[in-house]
Amino acid sequence: GPGAIAAIAFRIPGLTPAMRHSLRVRLYWENEPEPAVDLPFGAFFGNELGYHDIELPLLGSTVDGRFYNRFPMPFWQYARLDLVNTAEMAVAFEAEVKIVPPAVFSYPAEQAMHFRASAYYPAQTQVLGDDSVIAVVRGSGHLAAAVVTCPGDGFCEGDVRVYFDDFRTPQIESDGSES
């Protein structure tokens, strides 16, 4: 029946950088055959490489090893969350999923949309002066967040530009990736 996932949390003892990539979070809504979210574990929680704990209001990880995502995720018939292990290693974990009924978190189906993650873009080689595309999203909805990961030896500085509806000039621009 209808409801909303209000929070997802995992604790994985001994989580390594390799496990952040080999574990995947998949979310399915209603009766869709393909997942609306299919991301490496670290990317889903905003901390792909794990260099530092990131504690933001909606997603992050804490010093005690807890990973959380608090984006509201409404559904009207069915929701499924899978933690998929793509490596040949045993992984012990604790999971907590908080689901609230429509009376608490009411989203009319005709006015709201499902939570989705855009295609995951693999590592790219950056060329000074060239744009690095980090996401292409089609359809209607709201862009709530973007997670950009730069390895410690990588170059991740430059202007962030966001284009909407095939405009040739950016509608959002900032002076650095730290924005």
Side-chain angles (χ1 to χ4, degrees), residues 86-163:
T86 64
E88 297 202 16
M89 66 179 116
V91 177
F93 65 90
E94 298 172 22
E96 178 184 346
V97 179
K98 181 179 180 182
I99 298 176
V100 294
V104 174
F105 238 155
S106 181
Y107 293 96
E110 63 280 355
Q111 296 176 3
M113 297 179 188
H114 290 112
F115 180 88
R116 297 188 183 281
S118 66
Y120 181 72
Y121 280 69
Q124 302 175 36
T125 300
Q126 289 186 305
V127 177
L128 189 60
D130 286 355
D131 287 343
S132 295
V133 176
I134 60 171
V136 175
V137 181
R138 304 233 185 269
S140 60
H142 299 280
L143 176 63
V147 175
V148 179
T149 302
C150 295
D153 59 348
F155 178 74
C156 194
E157 182 56 48
D159 295 344
V160 175
R161 295 187 286 271
V162 180
Y163 301 83

Side-chain angles (χ1 to χ4, degrees), residues 18-26 38-41 83-89 91:
M19 291 166 70
R20 289 173 193 266
H21 293 283
S22 63
L23 294 173
R24 298 188 73 82
V25 175
R26 292 187 181 145
D38 184 1
L39 293 175
F41 183 88
L83 180 63
V84 180
N85 185 354
T86 64
E88 297 202 16
M89 66 179 116
V91 177

Side-chain angles (χ1 to χ4, degrees), residues 42-48 54 59 120 134 145-149:
F44 181 76
F45 295 102
N47 193 346
E48 188 170 12
I54 299 170
L59 77 163
Y120 181 72
I134 60 171
V147 175
V148 179
T149 302

Side-chain angles (χ1 to χ4, degrees), residues 7-8 21 32 37 46 67 79 91 108 126 158 161 168:
I8 298 170
H21 293 283
E32 296 175 353
V37 173
F67 289 79
V91 177
Q126 289 186 305
R161 295 187 286 271
R168 293 177 12 181

